[in-house]
Amino acid sequence: MTPDIHDVKSFLSTLTLQKKWNASKVFSSYYYSRLLSKPNQHGLPITLSIEPTTSCNLRCPECPSGLRSFTRDTGMLDPILLDQIIEEIGDELIYLYFYFQGEPFLHPDFLQLVHLASRKNIYSVTSTNAHYLDDAMAKQTVESGLNRLIISIDGTTQETYESYRIGGNLEKVIEGTRNIVKWKRKLKSLKPHVIFQFLVVGANEHQMDDIKRLADKLGIDEVKFKTVQINDFENGSPLMPSDEKYSRYKKNQSGLYELKNSLGNHCWKLWHSCVITWDGKVVPCCFDKDANHSLGNLKEQTFKEIWFGDKYNTFRKNLLKSRKEIDICTNCTEGTSVWI
């Protein structure tokens, strides 16, 4: 799909010389590290994912929030913590993703968090199941300065939708979508860029054309198809679509499933981004859902102390040595997700 020109302009307007210079340092550090198989890090992250909350109203089968299976503490992000992060590295930061686990709009001050990013001219993104986008919330969302809104909608009938989004109501998703589109038009706002994200699984792959038609009818800016992460994939799963193009896994000669990703001893994410949990833990990426690989806590250290610290560099060093020996990498599908 051709990129939306307004979204591209919105992104470009956030770039400054300082952010571009930082990005150049990140790129050079990553490729230098790969070349020498030795960690080297000079730039601050380009991208940051921060977790507004671990709470969720749905019970999706492959999600710790949905399964209520976290081994870590659950809670809500303190806006003061976000303000602290933005004040420290906001001038270098390009993307700020307001999601990790949980439903962001369950945070009572979620749009206040978005305002903090907008104030620093950071391109902000969130992903939602759209159950809380009533008329008033939709208006406030458009007014917040949010750049991109990803709406998870994995079916065009209630039966198909709730086969994965357990406990969800498709009509509420569609109603919330209509509210966002209505207020964008009323306020003559080009933001947020609204995306329908369709997680392709066995139960809904027959509705991929239907979701495009629904998106066009509702005035959605873009449709993206995403492959599903499956925790225990070796023996297959009903969630796997029949079309392997939309799967992160492939069947090997022994009849078992394996990752399409070859798991080379490198990972771009370790140099350009990280995830921060609601309570300030800094973890390497979104595959560390239980924060078992916490590299520091922002309640005890500054972000720069953590990012350039020994613990983070040791993690990068171990990854460059043998990525397969790091547990969160064994189901990593970075680079194999299908987006169309």
Side-chain angles (χ1 to χ4, degrees):
M1 181 175 289
T2 304
D4 183 278
I5 188 65
H6 301 301
D7 187 46
V8 173
K9 287 181 178 179
S10 177
F11 166 71
L12 292 176
S13 70
T14 66
L15 297 181
T16 62
L17 285 176
Q18 188 169 346
K19 291 181 182 183
K20 291 174 184 177
W21 174 240
N22 177 67
S24 71
K25 291 193 288 184
V26 172
F27 276 101
S28 61
S29 293
Y30 171 63
Y31 286 106
Y32 187 77
S33 298
R34 283 189 62 175
L35 180 66
L36 298 182
S37 297
K38 181 179 179 181
N40 177 280
Q41 184 63 283
H42 293 296
L44 288 163
I46 299 169
T47 302
L48 197 67
S49 293
I50 193 158
E51 181 178 64
T53 179
T54 47
S55 301
C56 190
N57 54 309
L58 303 186
R59 291 185 172 270
C60 304
E62 295 292 317
C63 173
S65 290
L67 294 170
R68 313 302 195 255
S69 63
F70 283 118
T71 58
R72 61 183 171 99
D73 293 337
T74 59
M76 301 276 180
L77 175 71
D78 187 338
I80 294 175
L81 179 60
L82 177 61
D83 193 46
Q84 169 191 324
I85 296 164
I86 290 177
E87 284 302 313
E88 185 178 0
I89 64 170
D91 290 332
E92 286 80 17
L93 199 60
I94 295 176
Y95 286 97
L96 183 52
Y97 291 88
F98 285 106
Y99 58 89
F100 177 30
Q101 303 300 302
E103 165 53 45
F105 281 90
L106 281 172
H107 192 295
D109 300 312
F110 174 61
L111 295 179
Q112 179 187 340
L113 304 179
V114 175
H115 278 298
L116 291 173
S118 298
R119 187 189 69 197
K120 274 285 189 179
N121 200 30
I122 301 168
Y123 189 94
S124 57
V125 186
T126 197
S127 181
T128 178
N129 60 48
H131 281 63
Y132 298 97
L133 294 175
D134 59 22
D135 194 64
M137 184 60 74
K139 180 175 184 289
Q140 292 170 41
T141 299
V142 174
E143 292 173 331
S144 72
L146 182 73
N147 293 91
R148 180 172 290 201
L149 179 68
I150 301 169
I151 295 176
S152 296
I153 179 169
D154 307 325
T156 56
T157 62
Q158 177 61 27
E159 180 182 9
T160 302
Y161 173 76
E162 68 181 349
S163 67
Y164 187 81
R165 301 288 167 182
I166 297 170
N169 185 317
L170 180 61
E171 281 305 312
K172 287 189 75 67
V173 179
I174 293 173
E175 177 189 0
T177 301
R178 286 196 178 110
N179 289 335
I180 288 288
V181 173
K182 179 187 77 174
W183 279 109
K184 278 184 67 177
R185 289 171 178 166
K186 278 192 172 185
L187 297 172
K188 296 181 172 56
S189 176
L190 299 175
K191 299 187 294 185
H193 180 77
V194 183
I195 296 173
F196 263 179
Q197 179 177 278
F198 190 92
L199 192 66
V200 183
V201 295
N204 70 9
E205 59 183 317
H206 65 288
Q207 293 184 346
M208 293 175 70
D209 287 334
D210 294 338
I211 198 65
K212 294 177 187 177
R213 286 189 285 268
L214 178 61
D216 186 59
K217 178 182 177 182
L218 295 174
I220 296 301
D221 298 307
E222 190 176 350
V223 175
K224 286 192 174 183
F225 296 110
K226 187 181 181 183
T227 57
V228 64
Q229 179 193 349
I230 298 169
N231 294 323
D232 297 310
F233 58 83
E234 288 87 355
N235 294 307
S237 165
L239 291 173
M240 289 182 180
S242 59
D243 188 342
E244 197 174 276
K245 175 184 177 182
Y246 299 102
S247 177
R248 303 185 183 194
Y249 314 95
K250 61 182 179 181
K251 188 177 284 189
N252 59 30
Q253 292 182 342
S254 65
L256 297 176
Y257 285 88
E258 63 185 14
L259 293 171
K260 288 180 179 178
N261 193 343
S262 61
L263 293 182
N265 293 330
H266 55 84
C267 182
W268 167 233
K269 279 188 176 293
L270 265 292
W271 274 259
H272 92 279
S273 69
C274 69
V275 176
I276 298 175
T277 63
W278 69 273
D279 54 349
K281 294 186 180 71
V282 177
V283 299
C285 76
C286 61
F287 278 83
D288 191 8
K289 300 185 190 318
D290 269 313
N292 292 322
H293 294 274
S294 176
L295 302 170
N297 194 309
L298 291 168
K299 294 180 179 179
E300 301 166 0
Q301 299 169 274
T302 67
F303 183 87
K304 291 176 183 177
E305 286 172 341
I306 297 169
W307 182 251
F308 295 113
D310 291 341
K311 197 169 184 180
Y312 221 125
N313 277 330
T314 297
F315 194 93
R316 294 185 185 107
K317 181 179 179 180
N318 291 338
L319 182 139
L320 290 167
K321 181 181 179 183
S322 181
R323 183 175 172 183
K324 290 182 179 180
E325 293 184 20
I326 302 174
D327 58 352
I328 59 172
C329 296
T330 58
N331 192 8
C332 177
T333 47
E334 177 67 16
T336 63
S337 296
V338 178
W339 297 87
I340 294 180

